[in-house]
Amino acid sequence: MNSDEQLGTLKESLLGLDMESAVEAARSLADGGGQAAVQDAVSAVSEALGVVGKRFQDGEWFLTELVYAGEIAKEVMGLLTPLLEAGAAEAAGTVVVGTVAGDLHDLGKNIFVSYARGAGFKVVDLGVDVPVDRFVDAARESSALALGMSCLLTSTEGEIGKVIAELERQGLRESVKVIVGGAALTEQFARHVGADAFAPDAITGLDTVKKWSAS
Ligand code: B1M
């Protein structure tokens, strides 16, 4: 099977809720190619998850399917994303990252974390469901260059403004750039709450923090 066929199998397996076949396709892609193949596989999983979201939204799939598709994606991403980090030295600065309070989605955040580590950033990954104070404490304690928040639920996007307000209250806002990403957000929303940047995808996010690190 060539790599295009393997990418097709990976997507189809995820959408067919076939864990074993998805993991096998991801392993073959990871074994057979370099960074580009891994990036393609990560994009394929992201695309498939877009379809999963649509099926759930349209009532074609229920929570059980959403949860299982999420589990398959987590397993597959667990194989792929560490390969994006290979061999980097932590010299480009520190970035604190987490998913906002009330939100448990972490696949997109983890892709950004792996890309950032792969580019030489030290990443303090706070995980999911991160309260305001943990973001702010971690940014202060690590003298972070940037603080990144991921948010996929419209019900939790208000958390972002709270974190920015707390950074301001503690006199940290001037020294920490804020970047946000995730399906619930838009450029306009990011600007409205006072973030410095919106990342529609992990590569754009990485390019932004690289620019900040260089200036
Ligand atoms: Co949920 N979910 N989910 N879910 N889920 C969405 C987000 C939803 C849009 C589906 C839908 O209805 N169409 C919907 C939200 C609706 C809304 O608020 N507008 C939704 C819902 C409703 C829910 C529940 C409430 C369902 C329920 O219980 N009734 C529940 C909430 C739980 C909670 O968080 N408290 C829930 C649960 C779950 C699972 C646990 C089952 C699972 C998550 C598994 C996990 O993350 N470990 C899950 C999944 C898989 C999805 C969808 C299908 C896929 C999300 C994903 O991982 N996409 C999603 C549908 C969708 O997004 N279209 C959906 C792939 C990922 C790579 O994309 O995270 O956007 P994304 O990341 C991108 C960019 O956004 C960017 O880079 C990444 C790629 O380059 N990016 C950053 C993201 N964060 C970044 C941070 C950065 C930089 C870039 O810097 C810091």
Side-chain angles (χ1 to χ4, degrees):
M1 225 192 275
N2 66 32
S3 64
D4 279 349
E5 286 166 343
Q6 280 167 343
L7 286 171
T9 306
L10 177 56
K11 274 196 226 172
E12 280 161 27
S13 306
L14 201 151
L15 292 171
L17 298 176
D18 185 340
M19 168 82 84
E20 209 180 308
S21 168
V23 167
E24 202 183 303
R27 272 216 184 94
S28 311
L29 281 156
D31 291 346
Q35 286 273 316
V38 175
Q39 286 180 10
D40 286 347
V42 167
S43 298
V45 176
S46 305
E47 275 170 37
L49 285 170
V51 178
V52 170
K54 175 107 184 45
R55 287 181 183 175
F56 180 66
Q57 198 173 355
D58 294 347
E60 197 184 322
W61 272 13
F62 297 101
L63 192 57
T64 328
E65 282 113 340
L66 179 73
V67 170
Y68 195 52
E71 279 173 19
I72 296 175
K74 185 115 193 161
E75 193 73 26
V76 166
M77 292 297 204
L79 282 172
L80 297 172
T81 49
L83 301 172
L84 299 170
E85 299 173 15
E90 292 179 348
T94 300
V95 184
V96 169
V97 178
T99 301
V100 298
D103 190 342
L104 304 175
H105 296 83
D106 64 357
L107 298 168
K109 167 190 73 68
N110 293 346
I111 297 173
F112 174 76
V113 166
S114 296
Y115 274 124
R117 286 188 175 140
F121 287 93
K122 179 176 179 196
V123 179
V124 179
D125 183 358
L126 301 174
V128 297
D129 193 16
V130 180
V132 172
D133 287 349
R134 271 192 74 211
F135 274 119
V136 176
D137 291 350
R140 190 186 46 251
E141 284 158 16
S142 64
S143 304
L145 156 82
L147 189 155
M149 286 176 269
S150 188
C151 174
L152 273 87
L153 298 173
T154 42
S155 56
T156 59
E157 61 188 25
E159 291 298 311
I160 292 172
K162 291 186 200 164
V163 173
I164 293 175
E166 188 58 22
L167 286 172
E168 272 163 11
R169 203 186 65 78
Q170 296 195 23
L172 294 167
R173 186 65 187 92
E174 291 300 311
S175 56
V176 185
K177 295 275 195 188
V178 175
I179 182 165
V180 297
L185 310 181
T186 60
E187 177 89 54
Q188 197 185 11
F189 172 84
R191 230 180 292 126
H192 176 71
V193 293
D196 296 295
F198 167 65
D201 58 66
I203 303 259
T204 309
L206 175 61
D207 287 345
T208 303
V209 290
K210 272 184 179 168
K211 265 185 228 140
W212 291 340
S213 164
S215 63

